Amino acid sequence: MYDRGPRTPMATLAKHPGGPRVSLLSRHLVGRSRLADLRLTEPAVSGEHAVLCWTGREWELHDLGSRNGTLIDGRRLAPGERVAVARGAAIAFGDADHSWQLVDDEPPTLMALPAEGGGEPVCARDDLLALPDEDHPEVVVYRDAAGDFLVEQGGGTARIGDRHAVRAGGRDYVLRIPDLVAPTWDNSAAAPQLAALALRFSVSRDEEYVALEARFDHRVIDLGARAHHQVLLALARSRLEDRQAGGRGAGTESSEGWIYQDELASQLAMDEMHLNVAVFRCRRQLAEAGIAGAASIVERRRPTRELRLGVARIEIVTV
């Protein structure tokens, strides 16, 4: 689980000096055991030596009664002792000459570990993960408004738990899901919630230009003009058309706006692979704008391969 490449801010333990970096799971076991998340080979390290845990507020180091002890900033912990760990802390497992440093103490995040052959983890940004990468999102994993994680693949979605296996780009991955969510999830007054947004599309007469604004509590988030807004515009029109016609099925808000994926792709003159890329870019843009639950901007309905816009308040104007 070593990671040497560019990364988003997340909990990271780095071997000092200039050694490998480890992206921390919400409960990260350190030791010589093959079950350890950080597996060390030094003879002074016990099989299950110590564990780093995210408490929901901070990282905590717990010595597991190791034979040679655990040191933090030069102080040896008592067997079984737990202590809070802050960014910059130096941690040594068994041997003070082999130390690690907590270089980032952000909360743990969703990540995908290559199942075989090692390699760097693929880490989520804003609770949104694409495999094998964001330019080829064969598999997308995200957290919904209820805080549950979902995997989306081949037009279908499913709720998942920790260690769920997926295959993308010809490679197998194991998904590692945080045990605890960050305290700011859905509770930050500053973070607009997707369900509370109103979307305003400004469309040129030739429909080559589609600008989008998200409005929330007297605030306007200018999302600019992007090619992928064409997908959201088509989904918005589908919702409005159903609403005007009384809705499909029971004619309720829950039934309006659904459109089959292949039908939408045909309408937009793109294949389904490029449609999936555009959907991911819509989600990524809203997530980067700080909108909580951004992945639900496009909803999918199992098992029908239908999609719809995840926001009900819509306005479309011609400019």
Side-chain angles (χ1 to χ4, degrees):
M1 204 178 306
Y2 294 142
D3 181 8
R4 296 178 183 268
R7 51 191 294 106
T8 55
M10 66 169 297
T12 307
L13 197 65
K15 186 70 178 291
H16 181 75
R21 299 164 66 93
V22 178
S23 301
L24 292 180
L25 304 168
S26 50
R27 184 184 187 280
H28 209 99
L29 178 64
V30 180
R32 297 179 67 188
S33 167
R34 62 182 180 83
L35 300 177
D37 301 299
L38 173 54
R39 191 174 183 186
L40 303 178
T41 59
E42 290 88 355
V45 177
S46 299
E48 294 188 357
H49 192 105
V51 65
L52 280 154
C53 293
W54 174 250
T55 69
R57 297 181 306 276
E58 61 189 2
W59 286 95
E60 184 179 83
L61 176 64
H62 179 203
D63 179 82
L64 298 177
S66 62
R67 178 181 295 273
N68 294 298
T70 302
L71 294 88
I72 178 167
D73 293 329
R75 182 179 77 83
R76 188 175 299 274
L77 303 184
E81 182 180 355
R82 300 174 186 267
V83 62
V85 186
R87 182 179 305 191
I91 305 171
F93 304 102
D95 186 343
D97 292 333
H98 296 279
S99 68
W100 294 73
Q101 184 177 45
L102 187 65
V103 296
D104 199 323
D105 60 357
E106 293 290 322
T109 190
L110 167 72
M111 67 178 77
L113 307 179
E116 296 180 358
E120 298 176 358
V122 182
C123 298
R125 290 193 292 135
D126 305 302
D127 290 325
L128 186 60
L129 174 68
L131 295 171
D133 56 57
E134 295 193 357
D135 291 326
H136 307 87
E138 294 179 19
V139 175
V140 176
V141 188
Y142 58 91
R143 188 163 56 177
D144 66 10
D148 296 322
F149 280 92
L150 287 80
V151 63
E152 185 174 288
Q153 186 172 23
T157 61
R159 298 193 184 280
I160 58 170
D162 190 34
R163 299 183 184 274
H164 183 86
V166 296
R167 185 172 180 81
R171 193 171 191 183
D172 294 319
Y173 295 88
V174 177
L175 299 176
R176 299 306 309 267
I177 294 174
D179 293 332
L180 299 172
V181 298
T184 54
W185 174 255
D186 279 353
N187 289 322
S188 170
Q193 306 295 310
L194 181 76
L197 295 181
L199 297 182
R200 186 178 193 271
F201 294 85
S202 298
V203 186
S204 63
R205 294 188 182 279
D206 60 7
E207 303 218 348
E208 292 296 319
Y209 171 93
V210 181
L212 181 60
E213 290 179 347
R215 302 187 174 203
F216 167 78
D217 192 24
H218 307 295
R219 294 166 52 191
V220 176
I221 303 172
D222 185 359
L223 298 168
R226 301 287 188 275
H228 53 255
H229 291 167
Q230 293 281 358
V231 173
L232 298 183
L233 176 63
L235 293 173
R237 283 174 168 160
S238 182
R239 282 200 77 140
L240 292 176
E241 288 168 5
D242 275 3
R243 190 174 301 166
Q244 186 176 11
R248 298 177 186 174
T252 64
E253 182 180 300
S254 64
S255 66
E256 70 182 22
W258 294 102
I259 181 171
Y260 288 102
Q261 179 167 302
D262 57 352
E263 181 183 339
L264 179 61
S266 176
Q267 180 179 320
L268 294 169
M270 62 174 64
D271 59 36
E272 292 189 31
M273 179 188 72
H274 286 94
L275 174 61
N276 287 335
V277 171
V279 168
F280 184 83
R281 288 175 177 168
C282 293
R283 290 167 164 168
R284 167 60 64 216
Q285 186 187 19
L286 267 67
E288 290 178 345
I291 297 170
S296 296
I297 186 63
V298 176
E299 299 175 336
R300 291 186 184 269
R301 183 157 65 177
R302 295 179 291 170
T304 61
R305 289 172 53 84
E306 290 176 287
L307 302 87
R308 76 162 179 176
L309 187 71
V311 172
R313 292 192 294 162
I314 306 159
E315 179 186 8
I316 301 174
V317 297
T318 302
V319 295

